[in-house]
Amino acid sequence: MKGLKVLQYYAKRSIFQSRHLSLSLSAKSNQNVRIGFAGLVGNTPLVRLNSMSEETGCEILAKVESANGGGSVKDRAALFLIRDAENKGLLRPGGTVVEGTAGNTGIGLAHVCNALGYKCVIFMPNTQSKEKIELLETLGAEVRPQPVVPWDDPMNYNHQAARYADSIDNAVWTNQFDNTANKQAHIETTGPEIWSQTGGKVDAVVFGTGTGGTLAGVATYLKEMNHKIHTELADPQGSVLYNFIKHGKLERSEGSSIAEGIGQGRVTANLKDAPIDDAHVVMDTDAVRMTFRLLHEEGFFVGASTGLNVAGAVKVAKDLGPGHTIVTCICDTGSRYYAKLYSREFLQSKNLLDCIPEAYQVSLH
């Protein structure tokens, strides 16, 4: 009886909130008022990173994706994945959204599910930060951490998410890696925003990638606007994508990375056939150093994936030479990685402490 009442509650709530989302999406644009959570996804600021710009003689610009309603770039994909499921009739009022995620997509999905009255179940690698797990639980998601195994293992967390969604009524596995609604989010929002905010004066975009959605979507849109724009991948050590783009081989670069949510062992459907011009391996030493530079020189408290993005952008700027405009993104905030990334003991265990300028180590606990 209690379970029936819970289902009825979510069904009524979902109908009510879906109507309000429809109103928000069809409402006349108002720059001063955003309608509901969906109105807080996208249209993020573009900021100049002064130290990096002066160092390179280029304009190093970053989309501040932490300004999205759920605090990360993945909010864009989360909203589009759920809208895609609704439009295809795969998700009815009161239903359950299931995803395999390293954290940020799950956090975005949990926010959207709360706004629309859906339940949310997240399968994730058990190596992810405790901050992400605790935040997901606070948002009401059911979190199921899983041991890390390769993609081709049936116990991979993504395959477990798919099986679980199939096992219950009115549930959808949003499949962020291979559902191209993820890429579409960036074709329709991030790419056009960058083009508009730069007045079309952008020479290169640089992103790390996990699902491939951000890089592929932005690259697809911007190449249509100007085929001369450089679209480049910043890849963490231990990922296969650098060698795939440079040499057409799915071979991992040396090492493994502490950065969460980026790097890949395969080519996802979102990344397939994306117009990417070049790739660069960004070592953890460079990503972590840049993470602390961003805090102490620019005032941005970020994670290692953002450090990797900006380090990649600086590399591309130096390759292109002064006078160019390079765009990347601030993925989220450092609060999601504080326990490890800002831990002296953890960094020392990974031989990364010495890459941080001594004056900046004051930020470590």
Side-chain angles (χ1 to χ4, degrees):
M1 190 63 165
K2 182 179 178 181
L4 178 60
K5 288 182 179 179
V6 170
L7 290 174
Q8 290 172 338
Y9 164 77
Y10 273 107
K12 290 178 181 178
R13 187 164 168 257
S14 181
I15 292 170
F16 173 79
Q17 293 173 330
S18 292
R19 287 173 180 164
H20 279 260
L21 177 64
S22 298
L23 287 172
S24 74
L25 294 174
S26 62
K28 185 177 180 180
S29 175
N30 185 325
Q31 292 182 351
N32 298 315
V33 178
R34 301 214 188 173
I35 309 299
F37 183 86
L40 289 173
V41 177
N43 293 312
T44 56
L46 184 68
V47 65
R48 181 181 192 264
L49 299 177
N50 294 319
S51 294
M52 294 77 206
S53 296
E54 291 160 12
E55 174 186 328
T56 60
C58 291
E59 291 294 292
I60 306 291
L61 310 179
K63 288 286 281 177
V64 186
E65 292 299 290
S66 54
N68 283 305
S72 90
V73 64
K74 294 296 188 176
D75 292 352
R76 297 178 187 261
L79 181 59
F80 270 67
L81 289 167
I82 289 180
R83 284 165 62 181
D84 178 68
E86 291 174 333
N87 292 337
K88 291 177 178 176
L90 301 175
L91 189 62
R92 304 186 303 277
T96 302
V97 172
V98 185
E99 183 55 275
T101 167
N104 277 338
T105 302
I107 291 166
L109 288 170
H111 277 285
V112 177
C113 285
N114 281 339
L116 302 183
Y118 298 120
K119 297 181 287 296
C120 185
V121 179
I122 300 299
F123 287 76
M124 68 190 305
N126 61 5
T127 54
Q128 301 307 293
S129 69
K130 70 173 185 178
E131 292 92 339
K132 286 182 181 177
I133 295 172
E134 290 172 352
L135 178 53
L136 280 164
E137 291 173 340
T138 298
L139 293 171
E142 179 184 337
V143 183
R144 300 189 175 196
Q146 306 297 320
V148 177
V149 294
W151 172 261
D152 56 6
D153 189 313
M155 295 308 291
N156 178 278
Y157 68 99
N158 285 288
H159 303 321
Q160 292 198 58
R163 289 196 297 269
Y164 179 75
D166 285 341
S167 73
I168 60 176
D169 182 54
N170 190 17
V172 63
W173 173 45
T174 43
N175 189 14
Q176 62 163 329
F177 289 92
D178 296 305
N179 182 344
T180 55
N182 178 346
K183 176 172 69 175
Q184 193 64 31
H186 301 283
I187 294 174
E188 294 187 24
T189 67
T190 321
E193 289 170 30
I194 291 171
W195 182 257
S196 174
Q197 289 169 315
T198 61
K201 296 177 180 178
V202 53
D203 297 295
V205 291
V206 185
F207 299 102
T209 188
T211 65
T214 304
L215 177 59
V218 170
T220 298
Y221 178 84
L222 291 180
K223 284 288 192 181
E224 289 178 357
M225 301 305 291
N226 179 0
H227 71 277
K228 294 182 180 179
I229 294 173
H230 294 262
T231 55
E232 309 209 11
L233 166 70
D235 208 30
Q237 59 192 58
S239 172
V240 304
L241 297 179
Y242 168 80
N243 279 321
F244 177 74
I245 290 173
K246 297 289 283 188
H247 309 297
K249 299 177 181 179
L250 289 174
E251 295 179 358
R252 292 189 182 276
S253 56
E254 187 176 348
S256 61
S257 178
I258 67 164
E260 297 183 15
I262 55 173
Q264 188 54 264
R266 66 187 182 95
V267 177
T268 66
N270 281 292
L271 196 60
K272 184 179 179 183
D273 299 325
I276 301 170
D277 295 317
D278 205 354
H280 310 270
V281 173
V282 178
M283 304 301 289
D284 275 3
T285 50
D286 296 323
V288 170
R289 182 184 302 110
M290 184 60 73
T291 299
F292 284 83
R293 283 190 64 190
L294 286 166
L295 176 58
H296 287 272
E297 298 173 26
E298 301 288 340
F300 289 105
F301 181 42
V302 299
S305 56
T306 297
L308 176 140
N309 275 350
V310 178
V314 168
K315 171 69 168 64
V316 171
K318 290 179 178 179
D319 287 347
L320 293 178
H324 294 89
T325 297
I326 293 88
V327 177
T328 187
C329 83
I330 292 173
C331 307
D332 55 12
T333 73
S335 61
R336 296 183 180 181
Y337 313 95
Y338 177 75
K340 291 201 294 188
L341 183 57
Y342 289 83
S343 162
R344 182 179 298 274
E345 182 180 355
F346 174 78
L347 292 172
Q348 204 157 30
S349 74
K350 299 295 182 179
N351 296 316
L352 292 170
L353 183 61
D354 291 342
C355 75
I356 303 170
E358 189 172 351
Y360 298 169
Q361 293 183 22
V362 66
S363 299
L364 300 175
H365 60 84

